[in-house]
Amino acid sequence: MKLYEELADWWPLVSPPSDYAEEAAEYIRLLRSAASGPLQEVLELGSGGGNNASHLKREFSLTLVDPSERMLEVSRALNPECVHVPGDMRTVRLGRVFDAVFVHDAIDYMTTEADLRAALETVATHLRPGGVALIAPDATRETFEPGTTLEGGDEPAGADGRSRSLRYMEWTLPVEPGATIGDVHYGMLLRERDGRVRSVHDMHQFGLFPRAIWLRLFDEVGFDAHVEPRTIEGEEYDTFVAVRRQ
């Protein structure tokens, strides 16, 4: 996907870290409400450019895992105090356990039930007994809505007064009844520091599963899980809070 590879250094304009303060506070609340025992060492799978981590690191010691080395470079610049490890959430094994594991919307890229189960097995493998998993997809089947958003940002101007800017449209298409895979298209306009503007189209696929499948898979890999609502900018999302069985 172009957004996470050739366009990775544009990520702070696509999704500024400052935009994540409210939701990071919500994740901290949910983790603390479910935790028993210590809550210090936290693993984030699919950490991307490190935007959530830039807020979570004030509360926890973070290890960040992402499959894109380009995105890890962005995160290292933002979060130099965090441990960064390349890896796929379906297969990575770090050989240690944590007090909590957090997965944000990168879980949406699990487009089959087998992929989703593999990711949840990875979460379970890296949690101490009694540890907390917090999984925050963009949508479940019950909450999904297609739609279009327009966003973007501007870099601070350099010494020469020039900066880069980006504007994009995110178009999430309707999903057929019963389908577990959907498409989202990004149309991006990128203005370079010299004033040149170019356009990029990028298409991503996401998985979409009902709550019942999520909860069954959590149970199969050793969790007691439930759904908690999280509210971000006035909108409510499903969040899965799960405790690793003893």
Side-chain angles (χ1 to χ4, degrees):
M1 290 172 281
K2 298 173 184 175
L3 188 57
Y4 305 136
E5 293 298 337
E6 64 188 77
L7 300 180
D9 66 331
W10 291 83
W11 181 251
L13 301 184
V14 174
S15 191
S18 59
D19 288 356
Y20 287 68
E22 179 187 0
E23 60 183 297
E26 187 75 345
Y27 301 139
I28 292 167
R29 179 188 70 81
L30 290 168
L31 284 168
R32 294 205 181 282
S33 68
S36 61
L39 184 57
Q40 181 58 36
E41 297 289 334
V42 176
L43 170 65
E44 182 179 356
L45 298 171
S47 55
N51 288 346
N52 276 303
S54 69
H55 303 280
L56 297 177
K57 67 186 180 183
R58 300 168 191 169
E59 301 285 332
F60 311 119
S61 176
L62 296 179
T63 297
L64 308 178
V65 173
D66 195 84
S68 168
E69 184 57 45
R70 296 287 304 276
M71 292 297 281
L72 288 174
E73 290 174 7
V74 174
S75 182
R76 288 187 186 103
L78 182 63
N79 304 302
E81 60 273 77
C82 298
V83 176
H84 291 79
V85 182
D88 186 311
M89 71 172 69
R90 294 167 295 185
T91 57
V92 68
R93 295 295 184 267
L94 302 182
R96 58 164 297 194
V97 294
F98 296 80
D99 301 318
V101 177
F102 170 59
V103 191
H104 190 219
D105 53 6
I107 197 74
D108 295 338
Y109 291 109
M110 303 298 104
T111 56
T112 68
E113 190 174 320
D115 282 343
L116 183 57
R117 191 184 196 283
L120 296 182
E121 284 180 342
T122 298
V123 174
T125 298
H126 291 91
L127 267 178
R128 62 170 175 80
V132 180
L134 182 65
I135 315 294
D138 274 344
T140 57
R141 167 60 71 176
E142 291 84 354
T143 65
F144 173 76
E145 292 184 7
T148 303
T149 61
L150 299 172
E151 297 191 44
D154 308 293
E155 276 184 344
D160 59 2
R162 297 181 177 183
S163 67
R164 298 189 306 173
S165 299
L166 180 145
R167 299 293 183 271
Y168 71 92
M169 178 184 73
E170 180 183 23
W171 182 20
T172 303
L173 301 181
V175 175
E176 294 294 325
T180 61
I181 299 177
D183 296 337
V184 56
H185 292 262
Y186 293 88
M188 292 172 276
L189 293 173
L190 297 84
R191 185 176 64 82
E192 303 284 358
R193 294 184 182 92
D194 63 5
R196 290 181 299 114
V197 176
R198 59 190 172 103
S199 63
V200 178
H201 170 246
D202 201 16
M203 192 274 280
H204 299 199
Q205 290 193 309
F206 58 89
L208 190 64
F209 303 94
R211 295 170 187 142
I213 286 180
W214 280 90
L215 294 173
R216 173 173 58 80
L217 294 177
F218 273 112
D219 180 65
E220 288 177 3
V221 301
F223 284 105
D224 295 321
H226 66 279
V227 182
E228 287 272 1
R230 71 185 192 276
T231 302
I232 310 297
E233 296 182 347
E235 295 190 28
E236 195 168 282
Y237 300 83
D238 281 347
T239 313
F240 294 94
V241 180
V243 176
R244 184 79 163 96
R245 287 197 285 265
Q246 301 285 341

